[in-house]
Amino acid sequence: MELINCTQSLFFESHVRVKDPASKQASPARPRLHPCPRPDAPAQGGPPAAEALRMLVRCCWGPPLVHGARRGRPSPQWRALSRFGQEDCRDSRVREKPPWRVLFFGTDQFAREALRALHAARENKEEELIDKLEVVTMPSPSSKGLPVKQYAVQSQLPVYEWPDVGSGEYDVGVVASFGRLLNEALILKFPYGILNVHPSCLPRWRGPAPVIHTVLHGDTVTGVTIMQIRPKRFDVGPILKQETVPVPPKSTAKELEAVLSRLGANMLISVLKNLPESLSNGRQQPTEGATYAPKISAGTSCIKWEEQTSEQIFRLYRAIGNIIPLQTLWMANTIKLLDLVEVNSSVLADSKLTGQALIPGSVIYHKQSQILLVYCKDGWIGVRSVMLRKALTATDFYNGYLHPWYQKNSQAQPSQCRFQTLRLPTKKKQKKTVAMQQCIE
């Protein structure tokens, strides 16, 4: 470190050393000087000496990059100096009412709806609810990025990719389907903390896949909770606002998520309009009724014909069918069931189904309705199409696989022609885990 005294005080740290032609030793590089304020100038937002020192450090460090561009990591000395005196002046910078400066964390379609509502509020100059809006999302292998990033870029909002969270000052953070624990140091940077838009009635279905588990377990009522983030554990903070809605009969997780995303976005705006009051009226979550909604793995998609009822299989299909197709085994080959349908009573009255003993997994082609009928623990499910090397209709599967099998095994009983439960390897590297926050097309 060197301190240069001239007309204005300048403070800098040199990280690059260059060769001195007059000697073989390295000497400090000539620093690039930036105009700095006078030390005795009045400081805004904190104690004059501390504010002046921080401004000097930032001047010599250079202007920050914007729109998510990466920059070199500051040295520990610079970080310490840039925070000098912040604890003393934090309260003087806290806004007591809107417009708020918001940093948003999110990834998927559910989060995109919340971001859209925040952006619309920022564009509404009459209401003056949001003054500043920036976005943090997760890296994606896709060049377009996740839905939140796509929307942010389209709306010309500054975007950072986790773990980069920018260096600006904000009043409050907002999280929706982000899937990462935020540490205490980050949470404390926001005077009003960080809010979470969670698509369940907490404490039921804490965790990353609440909508999927709502459908999977046949819940008839669900909702959205706006809560305040706490470090170290997911979804345990105080509840600021909670609303319930009925689960539409036979709705898929994707359809239910769309309903809850709109409800959550409206609730978020409502909380932000009365943020200090909402925080002061927050209530702790009850200790009873807590359940966990873990991520969905590929193993969840394997149908257990001997154990699962037709209702359980249809719930599984509605919960994860648009993310991971349901899977089973056909003659030692993995087959995916793409389009499941309920079997009506006229089909069930067919003598072909009632006149013989069947075991779970038995497959019969019903020509009149052109579907595959598969027997499970308590009845039948219908399958219109499958994937076996390529997509096949039920009729294609019958002509290409079932009918030839019966020709070769003319004396065989239908119970011998069946699907079997697929057992996937349990090694971690062979597991495919899919989060609900990435349930996108």
Side-chain angles (χ1 to χ4, degrees):
M1 292 283 184
E2 294 185 24
L3 186 61
I4 299 177
N5 291 318
C6 53
T7 307
Q8 296 175 329
S9 295
L10 294 170
F11 183 79
F12 69 94
E13 180 182 2
S14 175
H15 292 277
V16 182
R17 303 181 73 86
V18 298
K19 292 292 184 180
D20 186 348
S23 68
K24 295 185 179 180
Q25 296 182 349
S27 61
R30 180 180 179 86
R32 180 180 179 183
L33 302 182
H34 300 272
C36 298
R38 292 178 56 86
D40 56 350
Q44 297 181 359
E51 185 67 15
L53 182 54
R54 286 199 307 277
M55 292 179 68
L56 291 174
V57 174
R58 288 166 182 161
C59 285
C60 297
W61 182 258
L65 301 177
V66 296
H67 294 289
R70 294 189 178 276
R71 63 180 177 182
R73 183 184 293 260
S75 68
Q77 295 93 331
W78 183 88
R79 291 198 300 270
L81 285 165
S82 65
R83 292 194 300 267
F84 184 83
Q86 281 186 335
E87 294 79 4
D88 299 330
C89 64
R90 170 177 290 184
D91 291 342
S92 64
R93 296 200 311 270
V94 175
R95 297 185 178 184
E96 296 181 356
K97 60 182 181 179
W100 308 118
R101 297 164 295 181
V102 178
L103 183 61
F104 181 82
F105 301 77
T107 55
D108 62 9
Q109 294 286 3
F110 178 84
R112 177 183 174 133
E113 186 65 20
L115 178 59
R116 184 203 60 76
L118 291 172
H119 183 243
R122 179 174 176 265
E123 294 297 300
N124 185 352
K125 302 303 180 183
E126 294 181 3
E127 195 164 4
E128 293 188 344
L129 180 64
I130 307 294
D131 176 38
K132 172 182 176 181
L133 179 60
E134 298 185 356
V135 177
V136 178
T137 189
M138 297 300 298
S140 169
S142 168
S143 58
K144 293 182 179 179
L146 298 172
V148 160
K149 182 175 182 180
Q150 293 176 25
Y151 183 86
V153 171
Q154 174 188 343
S155 304
Q156 297 182 331
L157 298 173
V159 184
Y160 307 95
E161 288 194 348
W162 181 264
D164 183 5
V165 296
S167 58
E169 291 186 352
Y170 311 94
D171 302 301
V172 63
V174 174
V175 169
S177 296
F178 191 59
R180 291 292 185 276
L181 278 173
L182 306 185
N183 62 45
E184 187 173 10
L186 177 59
I187 296 171
L188 291 176
K189 288 184 178 181
F190 299 85
Y192 289 100
I194 300 179
L195 312 181
N196 181 20
V197 186
H198 187 81
S200 82
C201 292
L202 292 171
R204 185 162 177 81
W205 301 133
R206 291 171 175 166
V211 181
I212 288 177
H213 285 272
T214 296
V215 175
L216 187 60
H217 290 81
D219 290 6
T220 57
V221 176
T222 186
V224 174
T225 304
I226 308 294
M227 54 158 287
Q228 198 171 26
I229 290 285
R230 290 290 184 264
K232 299 181 181 179
R233 292 179 61 195
F234 282 111
D235 309 324
V236 297
I239 295 172
L240 309 185
K241 190 176 182 66
Q242 189 174 81
E243 293 186 14
T244 61
V245 293
V247 178
K250 300 179 182 179
S251 66
T252 66
K254 185 175 181 180
E255 293 165 346
L256 182 59
E257 182 186 273
V259 172
L260 297 179
S261 67
R262 291 189 290 270
L263 174 62
N266 292 335
M267 290 171 61
L268 173 63
I269 297 302
S270 175
V271 167
L272 289 174
K273 287 180 179 179
N274 302 283
L275 183 56
E277 181 182 355
S278 296
L279 292 171
S280 64
N281 292 333
R283 58 184 173 87
Q284 296 300 316
Q285 294 186 30
T287 55
E288 67 279 358
T291 56
Y292 187 63
K295 293 179 181 179
I296 298 302
S297 69
T300 309
S301 68
C302 299
I303 300 176
K304 300 176 180 64
W305 301 106
E306 298 84 0
E307 301 173 19
Q308 292 176 307
T309 65
S310 57
E311 176 61 25
Q312 289 172 328
I313 293 172
F314 280 119
R315 284 182 195 165
L316 180 63
Y317 174 65
R318 291 193 293 265
I320 69 170
N322 69 307
I323 313 166
I324 316 174
L326 305 193
Q327 304 181 83
T328 189
L329 272 181
W330 163 257
M331 302 301 170
N333 294 305
T334 300
I335 183 171
K336 297 177 180 179
L337 311 183
L338 302 181
D339 188 7
L340 271 61
V341 293
E342 293 186 2
V343 183
N344 62 46
S345 56
S346 62
V347 173
L348 294 175
D350 194 314
S351 59
K352 213 175 182 182
L353 307 181
T354 58
Q356 52 192 309
L358 296 168
I359 61 174
S362 299
V363 186
I364 295 176
Y365 175 66
H366 193 261
K367 188 174 182 180
Q368 288 77 13
S369 56
Q370 296 185 333
I371 61 174
L372 296 173
L373 301 175
V374 190
Y375 193 68
C376 55
K377 182 180 179 180
D378 70 338
W380 298 88
I381 65 166
V383 182
R384 282 190 179 140
S385 60
V386 301
M387 173 74 75
L388 182 60
R389 299 187 181 88
K390 64 177 182 178
L392 301 168
T393 64
T395 302
D396 292 336
F397 181 77
Y398 171 75
N399 291 333
Y401 296 93
L402 280 183
H403 186 61
W405 186 89
Y406 277 117
Q407 286 181 322
K408 290 180 182 178
N409 303 274
S410 58
Q411 302 302 316
Q413 295 296 316
S415 60
Q416 295 176 262
C417 177
R418 65 191 184 99
F419 290 150
Q420 294 179 308
T421 299
L422 174 63
R423 309 287 180 184
L424 292 179
T426 56
K427 291 182 180 179
K428 289 185 179 180
K429 64 181 181 181
Q430 292 175 313
K431 283 186 177 180
K432 179 183 177 183
T433 303
V434 181
M436 191 214 84
Q437 288 63 15
Q438 297 175 349
C439 298
I440 60 175
E441 290 186 341

